[in-house]
C-alpha cells in the first residue's frame, strides 16, 4: 500500500471512530434519560441527572442535545422507532396468514426487548405530557396510525376467513385498548408481570378468534 493510501485509510478510520463515539454517547444519554424518566418522572428529570446516569459530563449532554427538550424528543423518537421496528420485524417473520401475523403482533407487545419496567415507565412519563405537547404527538402519530391500520386489516381478513360477527374497526380498537391496558397494569405495579400480561392477551384473542387461534398458537389451516 502506498504512503498516501495508508494515510487516507488512517484518516477514514479516525473519522469512523469519532462517528461511532458520537453515536455511542448519544445512545448512552438516551438510555440514561429513560432511566431518569422511570425513576423521577418527566418534570423532575434534569440534564444533570442524565449526565450522572450516563457517567458523562454535563458539557457532553449540552454538546449533543443543547437542551432538555431536545434530549426528551430524541428519547421519545428512539422509543417510538424501537417499538415500531420491533412489531414490524415480528410481522415480517410471521409469514402470510392473518392468524400467524396477529399472534406475532400480540407476542411482540410483550417481548423482552421493549416490555421492560424502565421503558414502560418512560412511556408513561411521555403519555402524561402528550396532550399538551404537539411535538410528541407528531413523532408518534404516523407510527400509531400504521399500527392501527395493520390491526384493522388483520381483523378484516380474519372476519372473512372465519365468518365472525364483528366489524373490523371496532374490534381492532378493542384489541389495541386491551394491550395498552395491560401495559398500564404493568406501569401501575399491581403485581401483573410480563408473563401474566401476555397470558391475558392470548386469552383475549383466543376467545375472539376461536376458529384461528388456540392457547398454543395459530390453528393449522
Amino acid at each position: 500500500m502506498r504512503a498516501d493510501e495508508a494515510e487516507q485509510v488512517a484518516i477514514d478510520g479516525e473519522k469512523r471512530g469519532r462517528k461511532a463515539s458520537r453515536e455511542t454517547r448519544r445512545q448512552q444519554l438516551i438510555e440514561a434519560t429513560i432511566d431518569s424518566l422511570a425513576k423521577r418522572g418527566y418534570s423532575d428529570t434534569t440534564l444533570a441527572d442524565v449526565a450522572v446516569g450516563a457517567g458523562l459530563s454535563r458539557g457532553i449532554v449540552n454538546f449533543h442535545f443543547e437542551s432538555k427538550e431536545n434530549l426528551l424528543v430524541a428519547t421519545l423518537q428512539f422509543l417510538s422507532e424501537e417499538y415500531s421496528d420491533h412489531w414490524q420485524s415480528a410481522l415480517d417473520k410471521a409469514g402470510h396468514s392473518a392468524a400467524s401475523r396477529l399472534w406475532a403482533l400480540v407476542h411482540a407487545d410483550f417481548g423482552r426487548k421493549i416490555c421492560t419496567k424502565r421503558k414502560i415507565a418512560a412511556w408513561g412519563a411521555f403519555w402524561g405530557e402528550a396532550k399538551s405537547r404537539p411535538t410528541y404527538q407528531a413523532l408518534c402519530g404516523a407510527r400509531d396510525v400504521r399500527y392501527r391500520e395493520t390491526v384493522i386489516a388483520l381483523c378484516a381478513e380474519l372476519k372473512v376467513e372465519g365468518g365472525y360477527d364483528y366489524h373490523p374497526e371496532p374490534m381492532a380498537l378493542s384489541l389495541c385498548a386491551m394491550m395498552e391496558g395491560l401495559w398500564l397494569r404493568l406501569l401501575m405495579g399491581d403485581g401483573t408481570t410480563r408473563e401474566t400480561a401476555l397470558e391475558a392477551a392470548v386469552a383475549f384473542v383466543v376467545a375472539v378468534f376461536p376458529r384461528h387461534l388456540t392457547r398454543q398458537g395459530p390453528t393449522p389451516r
Side-chain angles (χ1 to χ4, degrees):
M1 181 182 293
R2 295 182 309 182
D4 56 344
E5 291 176 341
E7 182 179 0
Q8 186 60 51
V9 168
I11 292 172
D12 291 343
E14 183 180 350
K15 288 180 179 178
R16 286 194 298 270
R18 287 200 299 269
K19 182 179 180 181
S21 179
R22 286 196 299 271
E23 292 171 352
T24 298
R25 286 179 175 176
R26 281 180 62 88
Q27 191 59 37
Q28 280 180 269
L29 294 169
I30 287 172
E31 294 291 342
T33 304
I34 293 171
D35 289 337
S36 184
L37 288 168
K39 181 179 180 180
R40 301 177 180 89
Y42 181 92
S43 297
D44 290 337
T45 289
T46 67
L47 293 182
D49 294 328
V50 172
V52 171
L56 298 171
S57 70
R58 173 70 180 271
I60 292 293
V61 184
N62 290 330
F63 173 77
H64 286 286
F65 295 104
E66 296 184 354
S67 69
K68 173 181 172 178
E69 180 69 13
N70 288 345
L71 177 58
L72 289 170
V73 168
T75 301
L76 178 61
Q77 186 166 11
F78 166 76
L79 288 169
S80 180
E81 289 177 355
E82 180 186 53
Y83 180 79
S84 181
D85 291 346
H86 182 73
W87 69 257
Q88 187 61 61
S89 175
L91 279 189
D92 293 343
K93 296 174 183 176
H96 297 292
S97 80
S100 295
R101 289 166 69 80
L102 180 63
W103 186 260
L105 204 61
V106 169
H107 280 70
D109 236 37
F110 303 98
R112 294 180 184 276
K113 181 179 180 181
I114 63 166
C115 189
T116 66
K117 289 182 179 180
R118 59 191 285 272
K119 288 181 180 177
I120 290 175
W123 274 114
F126 283 118
W127 290 336
E129 297 290 326
K131 288 185 178 180
S132 61
R133 295 182 180 275
T135 301
Y136 296 165
Q137 293 176 334
L139 279 173
C140 298
R143 294 185 180 91
D144 289 346
V145 169
R146 184 158 59 93
Y147 184 90
R148 185 167 60 251
E149 289 177 345
T150 298
V151 179
I152 291 171
L154 291 174
C155 288
E157 188 172 346
L158 290 168
K159 175 182 170 67
V160 171
E161 290 180 359
Y164 300 117
D165 184 20
Y166 62 71
H167 295 293
E169 290 192 11
M171 179 54 67
L173 178 60
S174 296
L175 283 170
C176 292
M178 177 271 297
M179 291 193 286
E180 290 167 1
L182 288 170
W183 267 44
L184 181 58
R185 287 284 185 178
L186 291 168
L187 176 62
M188 291 168 60
D190 65 351
T192 302
T193 66
R194 186 180 61 81
E195 291 78 12
T196 57
L198 175 58
E199 183 180 358
V202 167
F204 183 93
V205 295
V206 167
V208 174
F209 307 105
R211 302 184 186 94
H212 289 88
L213 301 172
T214 70
R215 291 181 184 273
Q216 288 69 47
T219 303
R221 300 182 69 82

